[in-house]
Amino acid sequence: MASNKMWAGRSETATAKIADDFNSSIAVDCRMFKEDITGSMAHAAMLGAKGIIKPNEADEIIAGLEGILSDIQSGALPIDMEAEDIHMFVEAVLTERIGDVGKKLHTARSRNDQVALDTRMYLRAQANEIIALTRTLALAIADKAEEYKEYIVPGYTHLQRAQPISFGHHLMAYAMMLLRDIERLKDARRRMNVSPIGSCALAGTTYDTDRYFEAEKLGFDSICLNSIDGVSDRDFCAELISAIAIEMMHLSRFSEELILWSSWEFKFIELSDEYTTGSSIMPQKKNPDMAELIRGKTGRVYGDLMGILTVLKGLPLAYNKDMQEDKESVFDAVDTVKMCLEVANGMIPGMKAKRENMLKAAGEGFINATDLADYLVVKGLPFRSAYKISGRIVARCIAEGKILENLSLEEYKEYSVLFENDLYEAINLRNCMEKRTSVGGTSIASVQMQVDYVRETLK
Ligand code: ARG
């Protein structure tokens, strides 16, 4: 039986059912129906304006496309999952509805430039949404940092208690990461916003088209200047997933800390009941499932990135059907990061810090030992000698089950005559935190400055 496919030029027999199913991408690309239809409207308008089709034909096509768009949106026109892809579906319905004039729409274009166009338009809108969600999270973190800027907590290196810091300072590190994520997303969006339409199959066209007309109508900043690149380039997918993958890595590190901090071992924070779960067997449990899932889903986004890079790496120019696989990975990455951000945006405002537990942990780990050494430096000792003395005092405290604050001045004097009563001020945890007034340091004023900076930047 002869094929009735729109693209059946030379074939004598129809394709096998399983081949059709295998070839079909409608289940994935149907979400681009709006971009496909508005792209086609701009194309029809250009064809009409340039006299490639008659102006009244362009109008008929545009009116037909408008009808299809509103019918899909209202649910009156369900998308046929038996169609090959969204481009074929829209064109088939158009011709069904307005007759032969609908067949003129595909003049001076190809599905190759059409799919590149639709995907860029869809993803630039998605990039905007991810940026907005990221902004909300950065601001929520800044609010928490301001609320908890006076809470003293151990700062860690090697997951060993290191120096006293403000809990707000620790939180603000994540806000800074999110600011960079927003920059990366904006950058990816900017490079993506270049119109491929008019590249046609790969070589451009003999028709007197106006690519700038279409690009401008569709909100692009410029057009691709090489038609082969126009249909072959999927950098914008790889770049967006890569920005998302880095952002997921940040969300995952944050989640890991939320999980640690809400454990019984730390007890630094409590997440709200709305964003934790219980156990079906252990009644005492409050599990940080949401944070764990964000951490877990980071893995699949890395998979999406590897997927797209691997699909593209061996492809000869120009279009190859392998490229149809681009959408599954990039859509998955987009959907995943949006979901994770929405959950984080719900979870963070309800996070409660436990001041006493933080202070207790800060008091137990000799995290003021650096300040003890610095005290002797101020009194004139070279840092290396001061460091040694401070180390010996810590060792003694550990042996005697004491902390630095417990030793008497007489005991301190056994190690150095430079010790005076003001040493206790110097090793007071709050003072240790507050003295770190260097720009970007952990003093309360510095934390507030960071909070103000993030709010100002995100205005
Ligand atoms: N569904 C296809 C894709 O997503 C559209 C482009 C098809 N082009 C072609 N020459 N078969 O890549």
Side-chain angles (χ1 to χ4, degrees):
M1 199 181 69
S3 174
N4 55 4
K5 294 250 165 35
M6 272 189 256
W7 46 250
R10 52 171 285 190
S11 44
E12 284 170 7
T13 36
T15 41
K17 169 82 172 90
I18 187 156
D20 282 345
D21 291 347
F22 192 55
N23 206 27
S24 170
S25 58
I26 189 115
V28 176
D29 59 34
C30 62
R31 60 161 86 191
M32 305 196 300
F33 71 87
K34 192 165 150 246
E35 289 73 18
D36 193 71
I37 294 170
T38 46
S40 288
M41 285 175 174
H43 188 64
M46 186 279 290
L47 293 175
K50 293 297 286 178
I52 298 169
I53 62 175
K54 297 197 189 78
N56 67 303
E57 293 174 329
D59 292 345
E60 264 182 79
I61 292 173
I62 293 168
L65 289 167
E66 262 162 15
I68 294 173
L69 180 57
S70 64
D71 287 351
I72 294 178
Q73 278 167 337
S74 72
L77 173 62
I79 295 176
D80 177 11
M81 287 298 142
E82 293 299 307
E84 185 178 320
D85 57 29
I86 190 64
H87 328 293
M88 289 303 206
F89 171 73
V90 172
E91 203 185 322
V93 176
L94 181 71
T95 306
E96 212 175 272
R97 289 187 174 188
I98 69 169
D100 274 358
V101 62
K103 296 183 182 167
K104 295 197 173 188
L105 171 63
H106 212 53
T107 314
R109 80 167 181 189
S110 145
R111 266 191 300 159
N112 298 348
D113 55 348
Q114 191 181 355
V115 71
L117 176 80
D118 295 2
T119 313
R120 284 176 190 253
M121 285 169 64
Y122 180 80
L123 291 179
R124 72 184 178 188
Q126 293 300 311
N128 287 348
E129 285 185 28
I130 302 167
I131 289 168
L133 288 166
T134 307
R135 178 180 175 277
T136 305
L137 182 59
L139 291 173
I141 290 175
D143 287 349
K144 282 286 147 183
E146 186 172 52
E147 185 180 345
Y148 297 133
K149 65 183 172 188
E150 302 200 15
Y151 285 31
I152 302 168
V153 73
Y156 295 82
T157 63
H158 313 268
L159 204 56
Q160 303 285 316
R161 291 171 186 164
Q163 290 179 337
I165 57 167
S166 145
F167 185 53
H169 191 53
H170 195 121
L171 291 176
M172 283 312 289
Y174 288 104
M176 297 300 171
M177 295 176 216
L178 294 176
L179 286 191
R180 291 195 297 276
D181 291 328
I182 290 175
E183 284 305 304
R184 261 185 290 272
L185 289 163
K186 282 186 177 168
D187 223 34
R189 191 199 182 284
R190 184 173 59 77
R191 258 187 296 281
M192 182 190 298
N193 203 30
V194 175
S195 169
I197 196 73
S199 299
C200 302
L202 78 162
T205 181
T206 53
Y207 293 100
D208 178 26
T209 55
D210 184 349
R211 295 190 56 203
Y212 291 100
F213 176 101
E214 282 182 79
E216 206 192 297
K217 241 188 177 353
L218 297 172
F220 284 97
D221 298 324
S222 58
I223 64 171
C224 311
L225 286 178
N226 178 298
S227 60
I228 299 175
D229 186 43
V231 291
S232 314
D233 173 21
R234 293 294 183 274
D235 292 5
F236 61 94
C237 296
E239 196 175 355
L240 182 64
I241 305 177
S242 133
I244 293 172
I246 295 175
E247 176 160 9
M248 286 298 301
M249 176 268 287
H250 293 152
L251 297 181
S252 186
R253 289 180 84 170
F254 191 27
S255 297
E256 164 66 12
E257 298 218 274
L258 296 177
I259 295 160
L260 274 179
W261 292 338
S262 46
S263 69
W264 280 86
E265 284 68 19
F266 275 81
K267 278 198 222 148
F268 283 1
I269 61 163
E270 185 159 352
L271 295 169
S272 75
D273 289 350
E274 283 173 281
Y275 289 89
T276 47
T277 63
S279 157
S280 51
I281 164 168
M282 300 162 281
Q284 82 283 12
K285 297 263 279 180
K286 190 168 184 184
N287 298 328
D289 292 34
M290 309 307 136
E292 291 170 274
L293 275 171
I294 293 173
R295 189 178 59 185
K297 283 175 190 293
T298 302
R300 63 186 282 164
V301 173
Y302 293 178
D304 294 329
L305 179 59
M306 277 311 121
I308 186 97
L309 291 172
T310 311
V311 164
L312 293 175
K313 74 178 271 286
L315 293 187
L317 303 179
Y319 180 84
N320 301 272
K321 197 59 176 255
D322 315 46
M323 289 158 78
Q324 180 165 283
E325 293 290 312
D326 60 356
K327 284 172 282 304
E328 257 179 276
S329 19
V330 74
F331 292 172
D332 183 69
V334 161
D335 294 347
T336 304
V337 74
K338 278 167 62 182
M339 220 196 303
C340 291
L341 284 166
E342 277 163 28
V343 168
N345 282 336
M347 180 167 64
I348 294 307
M351 174 187 85
K352 294 226 171 358
K354 297 179 171 297
R355 187 172 204 156
E356 288 313 309
N357 296 344
M358 289 179 172
L359 195 60
K360 187 165 176 286
E364 288 168 348
F366 301 99
I367 62 182
N368 44 3
T370 314
D371 297 87
L372 186 65
D374 284 340
Y375 171 88
L376 292 173
V377 171
V378 173
K379 300 266 163 158
L381 220 57
F383 181 77
R384 279 290 158 232
S385 321
Y387 170 92
K388 280 269 179 277
I389 292 174
S390 178
R392 291 218 306 278
I393 298 172
V394 169
R396 171 185 179 157
C397 284
I398 292 172
E400 295 180 6
K402 290 178 175 164
I403 61 173
L404 295 176
E405 288 86 336
N406 298 147
L407 294 187
S408 67
L409 183 56
E410 288 62 48
E411 287 169 319
Y412 271 108
K413 282 197 182 288
E414 293 170 24
Y415 296 90
S416 169
V417 291
L418 295 173
F419 282 120
E420 298 295 342
N421 239 327
D422 58 351
L423 85 93
Y424 297 102
E425 278 292 289
I427 61 170
N428 169 280
L429 288 181
R430 190 179 165 99
N431 290 341
C432 296
M433 176 177 88
E434 268 301 66
K435 275 186 309 190
R436 290 191 161 73
T437 53
S438 55
V439 178
T442 190
S443 71
I444 294 167
S446 164
V447 174
Q448 187 60 50
M449 198 190 85
Q450 298 170 50
V451 168
D452 296 343
Y453 171 79
V454 166
R455 286 179 181 154
E456 186 58 36
T457 308
L458 295 177
K459 253 206 191 116

